[in-house]
Amino acid sequence: MRKKLIAGIGLALVAGLALSGCSARGTSGSDSASTEIKKGDLIGVALPAKTSQNWVLAGAAFEKSIEDAGFKADIQYANAGNPVPDQQSQISGMVTKGAKVVIIGAADGSQLGSQVKAAKAKGVTVIAWDRNILNTKDVDYYVAFNNYKVGQLQATALLDGLKAEKGSGPYNIELFAGSADDANATVFFNGAMSVLEPKIKDGTLKVTSGQETFQKVQTKGWLAQNAQSRMTDLLSQYYSGDTKLDGVLSPNDTLARAILTATKAAGKPNPVVTGQDSETASIPLIMKGTQYSTIYKNTTEEAQAAIDLVSTLAKGDKPDTKIDKTNNYNGVKTVPAIELTPILVTKENAVEAYKGNDTLEELAKKG
Ligand code: BGC
């Protein structure tokens, strides 16, 4: 098996070299070899629509880290109205312009197979960033936070918050997940459910609506209005009269605020609500105790990790990647990953957690 694999890689290498006429430096086990990367080369960064603040921050973070490392940047966002075809043509355009690396935060991780295949055929190094690219071997690396861990931390926060704020159980809760076209959404949800399921089974938690599968609790497009209207419907259908809603698993801050808007409009007491991203609009809510928790994933560090990886490849060195099937299996391949560690934030540790990030630290201190 191993022999076959090595032979396979060898063959692919030879084929890739024949095609690109280049050295094998930077090759990473995908079907085609990557062209050598040099300082001054063009790096394409294709980001999804700005559905949450982290994506807005990502553009600026990449611009700086790419320039500092001595490469040239081509950074593009998919248009919110038409993200998939838009991103597909942006990636093809980057390859045509001669990018040696494309870094992709996928709008839809399952819709980029032919674009990354074409990129690899030209020797381009393909890096999935923050979100994995699915069902293709033509992705060399994945740079992201440990997303399963994000889900586990969210669930742990929900349990802690319920205990701290809602007395002894059992607790009535509802579950929300992200958008099905984002490969992360199921990973967050599975991580969270690994912690919550035993508590649902033993009766500590009750999902009043009975909506417990990803299919039922997903939020199309990660859009606030979709979470808000689902929460409004759940409240009117399942929480009339005296039925209390104690907590909500929310996969990010944008959706957490939408959920809180719905519970407030329905005149319900503030439930314990989780989040993710440490968005500036959520920090004041966390400090006031309206939103219970968030997750800190430093976008600048995440962009820097991708560019450090490119610099390592440009030096001809082997990057220190991790094979982590739970987080990084894309349907056909566990993509070698640079995995960063997410931090759970509540009002108790916010000031400490945001040290070094002036904007967030100041917001946390303000309370
Ligand atoms: C990111 C989250 C973000 C979500 C919605 C996910 O892929 O990892 O940080 O909240 O997309 O944009």
Side-chain angles (χ1 to χ4, degrees):
M1 169 73 188
R2 194 170 160 76
K3 250 193 188 153
K4 240 183 172 172
L5 192 73
I6 293 169
I9 292 171
L11 264 182
L13 257 174
V14 171
L17 289 178
L19 270 179
S20 63
C22 292
S23 94
R25 289 203 319 173
T27 301
S28 64
S30 76
D31 276 356
S32 310
S34 301
T35 305
E36 188 176 325
I37 303 162
K38 298 180 303 319
K39 288 282 157 110
D41 279 347
L42 184 67
I43 300 181
V45 182
L47 297 170
K50 298 171 183 173
T51 43
S52 51
Q53 198 177 29
N54 58 309
W55 298 111
V56 180
L57 297 172
F62 271 115
E63 201 161 326
K64 181 165 184 336
S65 55
I66 291 174
E67 202 191 306
D68 288 353
F71 300 103
K72 279 204 294 275
D74 177 10
I75 298 166
Q76 298 192 45
Y77 282 96
N79 197 296
N82 215 12
V84 175
D86 210 34
Q87 185 165 63
Q88 289 171 335
S89 70
Q90 287 169 346
I91 294 167
S92 307
M94 288 166 182
V95 174
T96 308
K97 276 185 243 169
K100 292 291 182 299
V101 180
V102 289
I103 298 174
I104 303 170
D108 180 336
S110 65
Q111 302 286 331
L112 295 175
S114 36
Q115 287 69 34
V116 294
K117 190 174 179 141
K120 288 277 6 140
K122 287 210 159 174
V124 174
T125 295
V126 176
I127 301 176
W129 189 76
D130 195 80
R131 298 173 168 179
N132 213 342
I133 300 172
L134 302 180
N135 304 322
T136 171
K137 285 192 183 142
D138 295 312
V139 47
D140 297 298
Y141 301 103
Y142 179 38
V143 177
F145 282 85
N146 181 331
N147 292 316
Y148 193 80
K149 178 90 187 162
V150 167
Q152 289 180 315
L153 291 173
Q154 290 171 330
T156 306
L158 180 61
L159 292 172
D160 289 351
L162 288 169
K163 216 165 154 196
E165 294 185 2
K166 301 290 178 185
S168 57
Y171 308 106
N172 292 340
I173 64 160
E174 293 299 334
L175 307 170
F176 281 71
S179 188
D181 52 13
D182 170 6
N184 285 350
T186 43
V187 183
F188 297 145
F189 188 68
N190 292 340
M193 290 311 273
S194 72
V195 176
L196 298 182
E197 234 152 29
K199 298 291 177 188
I200 295 173
K201 284 220 175 83
D202 76 11
T204 308
L205 300 175
K206 181 168 181 240
V207 181
T208 313
S209 67
Q211 297 176 11
E212 292 175 20
T213 58
F214 179 83
Q215 209 51 36
K216 292 224 166 90
V217 307
Q218 62 179 295
T219 307
K220 196 160 190 285
W222 283 100
L223 290 177
Q225 71 252 35
N226 293 340
Q228 189 173 332
S229 68
R230 176 165 173 257
M231 189 72 250
T232 304
D233 290 350
L234 289 172
L235 287 167
S236 70
Q237 227 180 314
Y238 300 100
Y239 293 88
S240 55
D242 287 344
T243 311
K244 290 186 300 131
L245 171 67
D246 297 308
V248 182
L249 174 79
S250 165
N252 80 357
D253 289 351
T254 302
L255 304 192
R257 294 194 302 278
I259 289 162
L260 285 164
T261 303
T263 53
K264 195 171 174 195
K268 291 285 178 188
N270 201 102
V272 172
V273 180
T274 62
Q276 166 173 210
D277 291 335
S278 293
E279 292 198 347
T280 47
S282 276
I283 311 296
L285 300 180
I286 286 168
M287 300 320 285
K288 268 188 252 143
T290 314
Q291 181 182 325
Y292 183 74
S293 66
T294 185
I295 303 285
Y296 185 35
K297 303 188 304 185
N298 186 325
T299 303
T300 308
E301 273 174 22
E302 195 183 5
Q304 190 61 52
I307 302 309
D308 287 348
L309 167 64
V310 176
S311 297
T312 302
L313 296 173
K315 275 193 222 140
D317 292 343
K318 200 177 168 325
D320 187 14
T321 52
K322 183 171 173 184
I323 298 295
D324 171 354
K325 191 156 189 199
T326 311
N327 268 296
N328 308 326
Y329 184 67
N330 79 349
V332 294
K333 163 180 184 180
T334 300
V335 185
I338 305 282
E339 217 170 76
L340 290 88
T341 305
I343 300 170
L344 176 63
V345 181
T346 65
K347 66 170 178 253
E348 309 307 331
N349 70 336
V351 173
E352 180 63 30
Y354 297 142
K355 272 221 165 83
N357 181 328
D358 294 348
T359 313
L360 297 186
E361 193 182 348
E362 203 173 299
L363 278 171
K365 277 187 177 153
K366 228 192 216 163

